[in-house]
Amino acid sequence: QVQLVESGGGLVQPGGSLRLSCAASGSIFSIGTMGWYRQAPGKERELVAAITGGGSTNYADSVKGRFTISRDNAKNTVHLQMISLKPEDTAVYYCNVVATSKGLRYLEVWGQGTLVTVSS
């Protein structure tokens, strides 16, 4: 009943910037915590950043000071602004949303993933 669509990935040079977006749609009653995860080739999936419904944020140490997570509750979207990108940021980035459907079901939904490649 709830779907996530990610956008904004692509190829960028080291030191460049990119903004990822994730839009939730469907039978949504409310959305709680939203987050971004990433998985690099041969690596385990890791939490990059999360933001609660109240606006509290949490970041992986590797991205602190470079990435900013934000949300627009009116549009059911979450963004990840990435600056000073490094080759080690290369990964598939996945949006994750905790939601309650209009049928009052608790849902944890994943986006399809968007590839971020940082390379010169």
Side-chain angles (χ1 to χ4, degrees), residues 25-90:
S25 62
S27 184
I28 301 170
F29 178 77
S30 64
I31 294 177
T33 298
M34 310 176 83
W36 290 94
Y37 291 73
R38 68 185 181 188
Q39 187 165 24
K43 305 292 185 180
E44 60 188 4
R45 187 173 299 189
E46 64 173 342
L47 176 68
V48 177
I51 183 167
T52 69
S56 297
T57 59
N58 186 40
Y59 298 93
D61 288 341
S62 60
V63 307
K64 285 182 179 178
R66 299 188 299 118
F67 291 11
T68 302
I69 188 170
S70 61
R71 63 191 290 163
D72 185 337
N73 291 330
K75 296 181 178 179
N76 291 332
T77 60
V78 61
H79 304 279
L80 186 68
Q81 181 67 56
M82 305 182 291
I83 65 171
S84 301
L85 283 161
K86 305 174 180 179
E88 50 262 45
D89 294 319
T90 296

Side-chain angles (χ1 to χ4, degrees), residues 94-114:
Y94 297 92
C95 178
N96 177 267
V97 172
V98 174
T100 300
S101 72
K102 289 183 178 179
L104 301 183
R105 291 182 171 86
Y106 173 85
L107 304 171
E108 186 169 337
V109 187
W110 291 90
Q112 81 279 9
T114 185

